[in-house]
Amino acid sequence: MKQAEIVVIGGGPAGLCAAMSAAKSGAGVLIIDRNKSLGGQLVKQTHMFFGSEKQYASTRGIDIPEILLKELAKYKDKVEIKTNSTAVGFYEDGVITVLEKEDKYYKVEPKAVVVATGAYEKFLSFPNNDLPGIYGAGAVQTLMNVHGVKPGNRVLMVGAGNIGLIVSYQLMQAGVKVAAILDAAPKIGGYLVHASKIRRMGVPILTSHTVKEAIGKDFLEKAVVCKVDEKFNPIPGTEITFDVDVMCISVGLTPLNELLAMRGCRMKYVPQLSGLVPVRDENYETTVENIFVAGDASGVEEASAAMVEGYLAGLCAAAKIGYKPDDFYERRKDYMNQLNNLRSGPAARHILAGLDQIRR
Amino acid sequence: MFEKTGIPSKEMVMEKFPSQDRINKGPVAIVECYREIPCNPCETACRFNAIRVGEDINNIPQINFDKCTGCAICLSKCPGLAIMIADGSKSEDTVEIKIPYEFLPLPGEGQVVKGLDREGKHITDVKVLKVTNPKSFDRTPVITIEVDRKFLYEIRNIRVEV
Ligand SMILES: Cc1cc2nc3c(=O)[nH]c(=O)nc-3n(C[C@H](O)[C@H](O)[C@H](O)COP(=O)(O)OP(=O)(O)OC[C@H]3O[C@@H](n4cnc5c(N)ncnc54)[C@H](O)[C@@H]3O)c2cc1C
Ligand code: SF4
Ligand code: SF4
């Protein structure tokens, strides 16, 4: 059995910042991530980020992992990194089972854990939604921005949240035509600066529209969409058919946190945080002592908030096991202020409403 | 409508523009950021303190046209690509417009390309005067185009046909 002071599960922005923060306090940290390289969602975000300087605003997402890893390298005698390693089990005995590559299992017994496993994509049900050519937005982004493969020639984007808008823009940058962006909601969900920059490329955004069916024999050939009323019921006679070979589904994310449920942390369904999330206190400690959560796994938000949550959870996890630095209260206050600042606007009203239901 | 289509109304656009007099004096930034979002790189980027977001980063940026030198630094830093520069000091018939353009191929200097409005509709042909793409712009090239004055309030994008 491997021993570790703090294990961080997931090496996205939240996990990297949690590890950095805990190591800065003096704790030994083991980061495990199932991917080949660290960075989580960031490795496919070729666009500039929002937020403020402290969260690397205006820097392209793809460049942020390098900045974080450089910072993390300052504590290299405290930090061990295991990629290609998936946490597959986490039970009452507090032991984490890790699967390395595809064949090697081992166990780790940590004093504290930060779960920063991110989120996974929701899908949509409609006839023939299993035709080749129908992808989740994350898959399209991975193909295009990680592997340099065009997903097709003409895309219908389903979902006008930030992800749908940004992936549409990136598709156009890759030379793929975007026929239209639809959303069942009556208003565009993403930031309007993103919507405007796509609209002025000539791409129509159809709000109050949904997918009726996909058509194709061996792969997607056409998509039929229709208008919906205020109750999201399709309105007959409003069908439009698009000749597309790709449909990209971007209808939101769900927190990925089964490990916490497995470990016995109290979970609660909070729609504003996009699904089942762990109950936690203001330090991001769950209902099980020394088990912390950070980032999208604690509720789907943004990389900016994920990083700050990571710093906070890492700091508090280290303090709980005896590494409480002199500037603990200052650092904690700074992170809490940054989170409040990020969440103070109308774009985050739902997050605040969600957080109200989840505090321990 | 803006919330449904992403196209700002004429009135919204006009509200963000400085006076004709100011535009005729020299380059000035037009910041088309209409809704509150947690973002402030425009403020951080401006060395002349011409843009203010303030303590609460959700505030809508406010620009002081008298302090703005039209240097275009903010233009490449804005993740929303919401900023453009207008300069009416060069000619009575045309204005020079700077816009961010993150697509390949980039136009060549002297090339005539399609000028598009905020819906992406072709409204006029425009001449590319300059393409600026230094490392500090971090892969957001800035294109300077020469546009007939009557399209000052409509022009917002270009299309380079291959
Ligand atoms: C298209 C798109 C655009 C975005 N644009 C922005 C933006 O402009 N600004 C912004 O702030 N945010 C943006 N975001 C959101 C941002 O990417 C996420 O909020 C952020 O990445 C969440 O960070 P995280 O660390 O919580 O999770 P992730 O980045 O998802 O990282 C989770 C990590 O955990 C690993 N993992 C999961 N399960 C396990 C396991 N069992 N064992 C081991 N490892 C595991 C995964 O491999 C992954 O590396 C965007 C997201 C998308 C999809
Ligand atoms: S153009 Fe230059 S001076 Fe004007 S607001 Fe932008 S950065 Fe400031
Ligand atoms: S940087 Fe751009 S998107 Fe961000 S607040 Fe300033 S103008 Fe708006």
Side-chain angles (χ1 to χ4, degrees), chain A residues 48-53 58 60 63 169 173 186 188 191-192 196-197 199-202 207 341 344-346, chain B residues 2-4 6-7 36-40 44 55-58 77-79 81 102 119-120 138-140 157:
Chain A
M48 291 184 270
F49 269 34
F50 289 88
S52 76
E53 218 168 8
S58 185
R60 293 181 188 277
D63 297 330
Y169 184 74
Q173 288 182 306
I188 296 168
Y191 294 162
L192 288 156
S196 296
K197 83 184 181 199
R199 182 60 246 208
R200 62 177 180 257
M201 298 294 299
T207 45
N341 202 352
S344 65
Chain B
F2 181 46
E3 269 78 10
K4 287 182 185 289
I7 310 166
E36 293 175 292
I37 49 173
C39 186
N40 72 358
T44 318
E55 189 82 8
D56 180 350
I57 65 166
N58 287 284
K77 292 287 173 216
C78 165
L81 305 187
E102 296 182 318
E119 280 182 55
D138 190 20
R139 294 154 283 179
T140 302
N157 196 14

Side-chain angles (χ1 to χ4, degrees), chain B residues 121-142:
Chain B
K121 271 207 320 257
H122 174 213
I123 45 169
T124 178
D125 286 350
V126 300
K127 189 165 138 201
V128 175
L129 300 176
K130 214 167 169 214
V131 177
T132 327
N133 190 15
K135 205 157 184 244
S136 62
F137 283 11
D138 190 20
R139 294 154 283 179
T140 302
V142 171

Side-chain angles (χ1 to χ4, degrees), chain B residues 94-108:
Chain B
T94 59
V95 277
E96 286 188 11
I97 303 280
K98 283 188 166 65
I99 50 159
Y101 187 74
E102 296 182 318
F103 293 87
L104 290 173
L106 287 173

Side-chain angles (χ1 to χ4, degrees), chain B residues 28-29 31 42 45-51 63-64 67-75 83 85:
Chain B
V28 62
V31 184
C42 50
C46 182
R47 281 175 284 169
F48 303 95
N49 286 318
I51 300 193
I63 175 158
N64 181 333
K67 282 189 180 172
C68 174
T69 64
C71 72
I73 299 293
C74 56
L75 191 142
I83 305 178
I85 310 276

Side-chain angles (χ1 to χ4, degrees), chain A residues 15 23 27 29 42 48 61 76 124 127 141 160 166 177 181 187 201 208 210 239 246 261 263 273 308 314-316 328:
Chain A
V29 183
L42 296 176
M48 291 184 270
K76 59 175 178 293
L124 208 58
Q141 246 196 338
I166 289 169
K177 192 148 172 32
I181 302 175
K187 285 182 182 173
M201 298 294 299
S208 300
T210 192
E239 290 80 3
V246 177
R263 176 66 185 83
L273 300 177
V308 185
L315 174 75
C316 296
F328 174 81

